[in-house]
mmCIF file of all heavy atoms in Angstrom:
data_model
loop_
_atom_site.group_PDB
_atom_site.id
_atom_site.type_symbol
_atom_site.label_atom_id
_atom_site.label_comp_id
_atom_site.label_asym_id
_atom_site.label_seq_id
_atom_site.Cartn_x
_atom_site.Cartn_y
_atom_site.Cartn_z
ATOM 1 N N ASP A 9 0.833 10.122 -4.595
ATOM 2 C CA ASP A 9 1.400 11.390 -4.144
ATOM 3 C C ASP A 9 1.929 12.216 -5.358
ATOM 4 O O ASP A 9 1.828 13.421 -5.388
ATOM 5 C CB ASP A 9 2.493 11.218 -3.098
ATOM 6 C CG ASP A 9 1.930 10.859 -1.751
ATOM 7 O OD1 ASP A 9 0.708 11.129 -1.578
ATOM 8 O OD2 ASP A 9 2.658 10.341 -0.913
ATOM 9 N N THR A 10 2.496 11.478 -6.286
ATOM 10 C CA THR A 10 3.091 12.170 -7.450
ATOM 11 C C THR A 10 2.063 12.667 -8.401
ATOM 12 O O THR A 10 2.152 13.747 -8.968
ATOM 13 C CB THR A 10 4.122 11.283 -8.166
ATOM 14 O OG1 THR A 10 3.780 9.989 -7.993
ATOM 15 C CG2 THR A 10 5.523 11.620 -7.802
ATOM 16 N N THR A 11 1.053 11.863 -8.637
ATOM 17 C CA THR A 11 0.006 12.210 -9.614
ATOM 18 C C THR A 11 -1.373 11.902 -9.023
ATOM 19 O O THR A 11 -1.847 10.822 -9.254
ATOM 20 C CB THR A 11 0.192 11.481 -10.922
ATOM 21 O OG1 THR A 11 0.245 10.118 -10.655
ATOM 22 C CG2 THR A 11 1.474 11.932 -11.649
ATOM 23 N N PRO A 12 -1.947 12.802 -8.278
ATOM 24 C CA PRO A 12 -3.224 12.528 -7.648
ATOM 25 C C PRO A 12 -4.309 12.402 -8.677
ATOM 26 O O PRO A 12 -4.359 13.102 -9.682
ATOM 27 C CB PRO A 12 -3.456 13.799 -6.810
ATOM 28 C CG PRO A 12 -2.642 14.895 -7.449
ATOM 29 C CD PRO A 12 -1.461 14.159 -8.019
ATOM 30 N N LEU A 13 -5.197 11.424 -8.485
ATOM 31 C CA LEU A 13 -6.324 11.215 -9.413
ATOM 32 C C LEU A 13 -7.572 12.026 -8.962
ATOM 33 O O LEU A 13 -8.213 12.596 -9.721
ATOM 34 C CB LEU A 13 -6.615 9.726 -9.516
ATOM 35 C CG LEU A 13 -7.823 9.323 -10.372
ATOM 36 C CD1 LEU A 13 -7.634 9.822 -11.783
ATOM 37 C CD2 LEU A 13 -8.016 7.823 -10.356
ATOM 38 N N LEU A 14 -7.833 11.936 -7.647
ATOM 39 C CA LEU A 14 -9.045 12.569 -7.159
ATOM 40 C C LEU A 14 -8.783 13.653 -6.127
ATOM 41 O O LEU A 14 -9.648 14.355 -5.686
ATOM 42 C CB LEU A 14 -9.936 11.500 -6.494
ATOM 43 C CG LEU A 14 -10.356 10.370 -7.427
ATOM 44 C CD1 LEU A 14 -11.176 9.334 -6.675
ATOM 45 C CD2 LEU A 14 -11.235 10.920 -8.541
ATOM 46 N N ARG A 15 -7.486 13.872 -5.736
ATOM 47 C CA ARG A 15 -7.245 14.881 -4.753
ATOM 48 C C ARG A 15 -5.850 15.485 -5.015
ATOM 49 O O ARG A 15 -4.965 14.858 -5.618
ATOM 50 C CB ARG A 15 -7.222 14.267 -3.324
ATOM 51 C CG ARG A 15 -6.246 13.091 -3.197
ATOM 52 C CD ARG A 15 -6.394 12.432 -1.849
ATOM 53 N NE ARG A 15 -5.650 11.210 -1.775
ATOM 54 C CZ ARG A 15 -4.346 11.124 -1.578
ATOM 55 N NH1 ARG A 15 -3.604 12.206 -1.460
ATOM 56 N NH2 ARG A 15 -3.698 9.962 -1.533
ATOM 57 N N ASP A 16 -5.618 16.716 -4.548
ATOM 58 C CA ASP A 16 -4.310 17.369 -4.697
ATOM 59 C C ASP A 16 -3.319 16.767 -3.722
ATOM 60 O O ASP A 16 -3.682 16.272 -2.671
ATOM 61 C CB ASP A 16 -4.449 18.884 -4.463
ATOM 62 C CG ASP A 16 -5.152 19.558 -5.633
ATOM 63 O OD1 ASP A 16 -4.950 19.136 -6.759
ATOM 64 O OD2 ASP A 16 -5.956 20.496 -5.379
ATOM 65 N N ASP A 17 -1.999 16.876 -4.071
ATOM 66 C CA ASP A 17 -1.021 16.368 -3.161
ATOM 67 C C ASP A 17 -0.677 17.367 -2.090
ATOM 68 O O ASP A 17 0.058 18.307 -2.297
ATOM 69 C CB ASP A 17 0.221 16.068 -4.073
ATOM 70 C CG ASP A 17 1.377 15.528 -3.286
ATOM 71 O OD1 ASP A 17 1.156 15.233 -2.094
ATOM 72 O OD2 ASP A 17 2.464 15.479 -3.871
ATOM 73 N N ALA A 18 -1.191 17.162 -0.904
ATOM 74 C CA ALA A 18 -0.985 18.108 0.144
ATOM 75 C C ALA A 18 0.451 18.141 0.634
ATOM 76 O O ALA A 18 0.915 19.101 1.246
ATOM 77 C CB ALA A 18 -1.889 17.733 1.344
ATOM 78 N N SER A 19 1.183 17.033 0.370
ATOM 79 C CA SER A 19 2.568 16.981 0.851
ATOM 80 C C SER A 19 3.578 17.666 -0.056
ATOM 81 O O SER A 19 4.723 17.878 0.266
ATOM 82 C CB SER A 19 3.028 15.521 1.030
ATOM 83 O OG SER A 19 3.027 14.868 -0.204
ATOM 84 N N SER A 20 3.092 18.090 -1.241
ATOM 85 C CA SER A 20 3.997 18.672 -2.223
ATOM 86 C C SER A 20 4.319 20.113 -1.816
ATOM 87 O O SER A 20 3.522 20.826 -1.247
ATOM 88 C CB SER A 20 3.341 18.726 -3.627
ATOM 89 O OG SER A 20 4.128 19.495 -4.479
ATOM 90 N N ASP A 21 5.616 20.521 -2.136
ATOM 91 C CA ASP A 21 6.046 21.895 -1.886
ATOM 92 C C ASP A 21 5.213 22.869 -2.659
ATOM 93 O O ASP A 21 5.067 24.046 -2.253
ATOM 94 C CB ASP A 21 7.502 22.061 -2.247
ATOM 95 C CG ASP A 21 8.391 21.222 -1.315
ATOM 96 O OD1 ASP A 21 7.997 20.951 -0.167
ATOM 97 O OD2 ASP A 21 9.510 20.863 -1.753
ATOM 98 N N ASP A 22 4.633 22.444 -3.716
ATOM 99 C CA ASP A 22 3.887 23.401 -4.640
ATOM 100 C C ASP A 22 2.372 23.300 -4.392
ATOM 101 O O ASP A 22 1.612 23.895 -5.149
ATOM 102 C CB ASP A 22 4.158 23.058 -6.069
ATOM 103 C CG ASP A 22 5.600 23.259 -6.471
ATOM 104 O OD1 ASP A 22 6.247 24.168 -5.922
ATOM 105 O OD2 ASP A 22 6.061 22.475 -7.293
ATOM 106 N N SER A 23 1.983 22.632 -3.348
ATOM 107 C CA SER A 23 0.565 22.395 -3.114
ATOM 108 C C SER A 23 -0.296 23.610 -2.939
ATOM 109 O O SER A 23 -1.452 23.677 -3.254
ATOM 110 C CB SER A 23 0.326 21.398 -1.951
ATOM 111 O OG SER A 23 0.804 21.985 -0.791
#
Side-chain angles (χ1 to χ4, degrees):
D9 283 342
T10 27
T11 55
L13 176 60
L14 298 175
R15 56 186 171 80
D16 288 324
D17 179 10
S19 64
S20 172
D21 293 335
D22 297 326
S23 60

